Amino acid sequence: MDSNARIRRLRKTISQLPNKILFAVSLLAMMACSDAGVYYIDFRNVGSGWTKDRLLRYELPDSLPDGKSSLFVSIRHTNYYPYRNLWIVADYVRGGRVVESDTCNIQLADRFGNWFGSGLGQLYQYSVAMRDNVGVDGFEEVILWHYMRCDTVTGIEDVGLSLSLDEE
């Protein structure tokens, strides 16, 4: 490998380092500050672009606690996400078949371009409830995919799913 190629590779690695450090710090902060009512949380990285045909699959735990839960989707995006919103479709799977679907328009910014949620540097996270009253006999898997007009959405880093126990 010639020296120019090594230099380019080193520069690329160095330029990506702040994002990786920021991701690790935000993940640790989220775990440290997490609410005791969160029963399940899982994130999928889509860093270089979320293509329309890339399905994000989340297997829910076999045993959910008794009672009801709320299902949340969390979007981590950079300051360079080019839109105010993100359309996603959630397919709910039970017994290997899709039994229900939801389409959700997640507003990530106001009309002036101010991001919702919390952020540190150029990375923001915003969570929204997708479904309330999720019971123990609900579904085993949730499949998320974007429903934007473009084939590849850039600026989205991670998409997460969480179950939060409802207070009775």
Side-chain angles (χ1 to χ4, degrees):
M1 178 183 297
D2 69 349
S3 63
N4 287 338
R6 283 186 199 158
I7 292 171
R8 282 193 302 273
R9 200 160 122 205
L10 181 60
R11 283 183 181 164
K12 182 178 179 183
T13 302
I14 291 171
S15 70
Q16 293 174 344
L17 192 57
N19 286 342
K20 292 179 181 181
I21 291 171
L22 183 61
F23 173 72
V25 168
S26 64
L27 186 61
L28 289 174
M30 246 184 26
M31 290 181 350
C33 301
S34 66
D35 184 7
V38 175
Y39 180 73
Y40 165 85
I41 189 165
D42 193 6
F43 277 88
R44 299 287 183 266
N45 182 278
V46 294
S48 62
W50 187 8
T51 59
K52 194 169 277 213
D53 61 349
R54 181 169 180 200
L55 305 177
L56 305 178
R57 297 178 176 272
Y58 303 87
E59 283 190 41
L60 299 181
D62 289 337
S63 60
L64 293 176
D66 291 336
K68 299 292 182 178
S69 301
S70 295
L71 184 68
F72 290 86
V73 64
S74 298
I75 307 295
R76 288 187 189 139
H77 62 91
T78 66
N79 201 30
Y80 301 107
Y81 181 68
Y83 310 106
R84 295 181 34 192
N85 65 335
L86 175 68
W87 283 92
I88 63 169
V89 174
D91 290 332
Y92 304 101
V93 178
R94 181 176 42 231
R97 294 182 38 214
V98 175
V99 293
E100 294 181 57
S101 290
D102 284 333
T103 303
C104 186
N105 180 14
I106 301 171
Q107 295 294 320
L108 298 174
D110 64 19
R111 65 186 184 136
F112 302 108
N114 300 312
W115 297 115
F116 297 135
S118 59
L120 181 61
Q122 295 180 0
L123 191 64
Y124 293 86
Q125 179 171 322
Y126 184 62
S127 298
V128 63
M130 287 281 296
R131 179 170 278 219
D132 293 324
N133 297 320
V134 177
V136 292
D137 59 346
F139 37 85
E140 300 123 16
E141 183 180 32
V142 178
I143 302 171
L144 298 179
W145 47 282
H146 82 79
Y147 195 60
M148 300 292 282
R149 290 183 180 173
C150 59
D151 287 334
T152 302
V153 175
T154 59
I156 300 291
E157 294 292 319
D158 303 286
V159 179
L161 198 70
S162 61
L163 277 173
S164 178
L165 303 177
D166 293 340
E167 294 180 13
E168 306 217 5

